Amino acid sequence: MRLVYLSAVFWFLIDQGSKYGVLYGLNLIERIHIEVLPPFLVFHLGWNTGINFGLMAGGPEVTRYGLIVLALLICGWLFYWAKTGLTRPVALISAGAVIGGALGNALDRVIHGAVIDFLNMSCCGFQNPYTFNIADVGVVAGAVGLIVFAESGKTAP
């Protein structure tokens, strides 16, 4: 379980630190758009009140709290799964990545009412219209890690 905790803390801190650093250190909160290595990396401020790709954005305030509760339930379930069913170190690290990312985005919803997104990456003629954050990277990487490295034959509770 130590790997779960360490991974979760790492992803949570790197997410919150990057958001704070970009918003206030680089003043993205006022500048809104900073071209870092265009078009490969652009910081563009977005406030996501919905879920992935802004789905359910602009919904009632109850949606905000529902998403916070959902994130906490998923984190609790992942902790339970890690404690009772995951044994491979990479699977434990993956579970922690999902947990840390989910908690980072949930904290944004509590404090700001929306998830802070700022990363935009485009390449090779494709213009990506969406922004994301480090927590999203942790959630996606962790979910892929769980799919690939969770023990076969053992299912989640």
Side-chain angles (χ1 to χ4, degrees):
M1 285 299 290
R2 181 179 174 155
L3 288 175
V4 176
Y5 294 121
L6 289 173
S7 178
V9 167
F10 169 81
W11 283 100
F12 179 82
L13 291 177
I14 199 82
D15 170 65
Q16 291 297 302
S18 67
K19 289 171 181 171
Y20 184 83
V22 170
L23 278 181
Y24 302 107
L26 297 179
N27 201 25
L28 188 64
I29 200 156
E30 290 183 18
R31 295 172 67 183
I32 308 298
H33 187 85
I34 301 171
E35 294 190 359
V36 180
L37 293 169
F40 305 109
L41 178 61
V42 175
F43 293 164
H44 186 82
L45 183 58
W47 299 96
N48 187 356
T49 58
I51 57 174
N52 293 17
F53 307 113
L55 297 173
M56 297 172 47
E61 187 70 6
V62 71
T63 303
R64 169 185 172 194
Y65 295 106
L67 291 172
I68 293 167
V69 169
L70 180 61
L72 295 175
L73 289 171
I74 290 170
C75 290
W77 175 78
L78 281 170
F79 269 121
Y80 176 76
W81 186 24
K83 188 173 185 175
T84 62
L86 296 177
T87 57
R88 296 176 72 184
V90 70
L92 295 167
I93 291 168
S94 297
V98 175
I99 292 166
L103 292 177
N105 282 343
L107 182 62
D108 286 357
R109 290 183 195 285
V110 169
I111 294 173
H112 304 287
V115 173
I116 302 165
D117 288 332
F118 65 92
L119 294 168
N120 176 268
M121 302 176 84
S122 298
C123 180
C124 313
F126 172 73
Q127 181 60 40
N128 178 13
Y130 301 106
T131 56
F132 59 98
N133 59 47
I134 300 298
D136 298 336
V137 174
V139 168
V140 170
V144 169
L146 286 170
I147 290 167
V148 173
F149 297 110
E151 295 78 8
S152 61
K154 290 186 179 181
T155 59

